[in-house]
Amino acid sequence: MLPQNLCQVCKYLFLCNLKLNSVNVAGLARRIHSSSKKLSDSESKEQTVQKGETEELPQSTENNNYGRLHMPVMLEEVLNCLSPQPGQLFLDMTFGAGGHSTALLESAGDIRVLALDRDPAAYRIAQQLTHTYPKQIQPLLGRFSEAEALLISSGVEPGTLDGVLLDAGCSSMQLDTPERGFSLQKDGPLDMRMDSDRCPAVATAADAVNALAPRALAAVLAAYGEERHARKIAWAIARARSVYPITRTQQLASIVAGAFPASALYARKDLLQRPVHVATKTFQGLRIFVNDELHELLIGLKTAEKFLKPGGRLVAISFHSLEDRIIKRFLHGIDMTEKYNLSSKQKIRQALKNSSKEGTQGSPCGKSNSKWIFIQKKVLTPQSKEIQANPRGRSAKLRAAIKL
């Protein structure tokens, strides 16, 4: 089961045309299978230590206490774009710590929210929130690819939702829990599965770095992490794992850092011109790969479109260019499988030209195809005041549209 999951993800890399022609998918399963026993032997030695760390973890990181500390990104803009009215039904496809959903519930009377998340910790927070908002919030546990079945089983029919919110990427709750393996700032098991232990067959980041061939690993880091030095990092990882399996977050961060001179460790800067660790993009690439995030995002957008009623509103927030590109192309009606022989602006102009030929009239809000009217002509970004209060939201981009 474990090899099969990674093989499926690798195949998706090809379908997305992300230049992974060098990945040997057929041999990938054999490598992962042969490394599984090696990894399990190594992890068993650390099991006692990791168990102790887990027991000492305050439960507040996975309950309402965390929800009170959490700062939802671009909350004011989300509410303005969704424009909640009394009695409406919304789907929060990335519930997380519940900041956006709680604000929706407080914004108008008799609002109902379907709270979807693939993370069991977020699902537990949603369950606790039902005590505060009985009959107004319904927790749903699953991925975007499972959302359609979950909605139908909950009695929600296609074309009935008034609004959908999709806040892509990794949550602060996941980053702040070392045992989840998302952050390189604190040591923890190299996991990165957003589903946690809900899907035991899903490969971890440790499985990927220990099993992928160097060329395949470099392709993943280049495509998903947008890492310029992907080949150098991949070969450094391959050399290190030949000595001992890579199972910890800071172990991987040290290996990546070792591939660069000391002066380059924090040479990169973020949007606030703060130093960024040289392994940050490596962690991003592995996380997206392990969780099949881009494929799931596209399915989530299609599900949102299917279940929104005409006039329903979609708000999608992204945190890096790969996510934003998918959201933008989806809303503009650009085929995801198209080769990048034209720039996005050229493709958007072409979509506008095609829609005008079909007799559709332009809209002051920026209509670009027959399915959506844009609420905001330009992408929204956080205000400087919010960035100062919540630096993690600095790279957020919000796109909102109304379904025709």
Side-chain angles (χ1 to χ4, degrees):
M1 295 297 293
L2 183 62
Q4 182 180 2
N5 177 269
L6 269 179
C7 286
Q8 290 173 346
V9 177
C10 281
K11 290 176 182 177
Y12 175 67
L13 298 179
F14 285 95
L15 296 177
C16 285
N17 195 31
L18 291 178
K19 300 179 181 179
L20 296 185
N21 296 326
S22 61
V23 179
N24 185 350
V25 179
L28 180 59
R30 293 195 298 272
R31 295 189 191 98
I32 295 177
H33 179 74
S34 62
S35 67
S36 295
K37 186 178 185 300
K38 190 177 180 183
L39 270 174
S40 61
D41 292 342
S42 172
E43 289 171 345
S44 63
K45 297 177 183 178
E46 302 172 352
Q47 191 173 29
T48 304
V49 176
Q50 293 180 19
K51 182 179 179 182
E53 290 175 350
T54 303
E55 290 174 348
E56 293 172 3
L57 177 66
Q59 291 299 318
S60 60
T61 59
E62 295 185 356
N63 61 18
N64 282 339
N65 291 335
Y66 187 88
R68 290 198 296 268
L69 298 174
H70 174 63
M71 297 181 64
V73 68
M74 301 185 72
L75 180 59
E76 182 179 346
E77 291 85 349
V78 167
L79 292 178
N80 287 339
C81 290
L82 286 176
S83 186
Q85 304 298 321
Q88 287 188 327
L89 176 62
F90 292 90
L91 169 63
D92 186 347
M93 300 191 77
T94 45
F95 178 79
H100 288 117
S101 287
T102 302
L104 276 172
L105 292 167
E106 294 287 348
S107 63
D110 298 324
I111 291 284
R112 291 181 297 147
V113 174
L114 299 156
L116 173 72
D117 206 291
R118 66 191 293 180
D119 192 333
Y123 178 71
R124 289 193 290 271
I125 295 175
Q127 287 180 312
Q128 292 172 349
L129 202 59
T130 59
H131 302 304
T132 307
Y133 301 95
K135 298 182 180 180
Q136 283 187 268
I137 186 166
Q138 183 172 354
L140 300 174
L141 178 61
R143 304 179 178 188
F144 294 156
S145 56
E146 300 169 311
E148 181 173 348
L150 288 170
L151 290 170
I152 292 176
S153 65
S154 300
V156 181
E157 297 295 329
T160 59
L161 296 178
D162 294 290
V164 175
L165 170 63
L166 196 157
D167 183 1
C170 188
S171 70
S172 293
M173 180 170 56
Q174 293 164 337
L175 288 171
D176 291 337
T177 308
E179 289 72 19
R180 300 297 299 274
F182 287 95
S183 175
L184 54 80
Q185 300 300 325
K186 295 181 180 179
D187 191 40
L190 192 57
D191 194 326
M192 298 194 192
R193 293 173 300 169
M194 290 182 175
D195 301 277
S196 191
D197 293 325
R198 185 175 72 91
C199 303
V202 174
T204 65
D207 294 321
V209 298
N210 286 285
L212 285 172
R215 291 180 65 188
L217 182 57
V220 168
L221 300 184
Y224 287 166
E226 298 179 294
E227 173 58 67
R228 291 178 300 165
H229 304 287
R231 186 175 299 179
K232 178 192 294 187
I233 294 171
W235 281 104
I237 290 172
R239 287 191 296 270
R241 74 190 185 193
S242 67
V243 178
Y244 198 79
I246 303 169
T247 61
R248 310 289 293 182
T249 54
Q250 290 195 343
Q251 180 188 7
L252 176 60
S254 298
I255 293 168
V256 175
F260 297 86
S263 60
L265 185 58
Y266 286 99
R268 299 176 179 179
K269 307 290 183 182
D270 64 13
L271 294 178
L272 301 180
Q273 294 303 305
R274 302 180 306 176
V276 176
H277 195 282
V278 72
T280 300
K281 290 188 175 182
T282 296
F283 272 64
Q284 173 188 303
L286 288 171
R287 190 202 79 215
I288 294 174
F289 176 73
V290 166
N291 294 288
D292 199 11
E293 290 181 36
L294 301 186
H295 186 209
E296 287 289 323
L297 174 59
L298 179 56
I299 295 176
L301 291 168
K302 291 180 178 179
T303 301
E305 180 183 336
K306 181 175 182 177
F307 280 84
L308 277 171
K309 62 173 61 172
R313 294 169 176 249
L314 171 64
V315 173
I317 303 175
S318 62
F319 288 88
H320 56 76
S321 60
L322 298 177
E323 293 171 342
D324 185 57
R325 186 180 301 133
I326 290 175
I327 294 169
K328 180 166 60 176
R329 289 165 70 91
F330 176 81
L331 293 176
H332 283 287
I334 301 172
D335 189 353
M336 298 293 169
T337 61
E338 270 189 53
K339 295 182 178 180
Y340 293 91
N341 55 344
L342 294 176
S343 69
S344 295
K345 288 184 178 179
Q346 288 173 315
K347 290 179 181 293
I348 291 170
R349 292 194 193 102
Q350 186 64 41
L352 285 166
K353 187 181 296 184
N354 292 340
S355 63
S356 63
K357 287 180 180 179
E358 292 171 2
T360 58
Q361 296 181 350
S363 166
C365 294
K367 185 169 100 172
S368 64
N369 65 12
S370 60
K371 296 181 180 179
W372 301 96
I373 294 178
F374 289 92
I375 298 173
Q376 302 288 344
K377 188 174 182 180
K378 295 183 178 180
V379 64
L380 298 180
T381 55
Q383 300 178 9
S384 57
K385 183 178 179 180
E386 178 178 353
I387 293 176
Q388 291 177 0
N390 182 21
R392 279 183 177 169
R394 63 190 179 274
S395 58
K397 291 184 178 180
L398 185 152
R399 297 183 185 274
I402 298 174
K403 179 182 175 181
L404 292 179

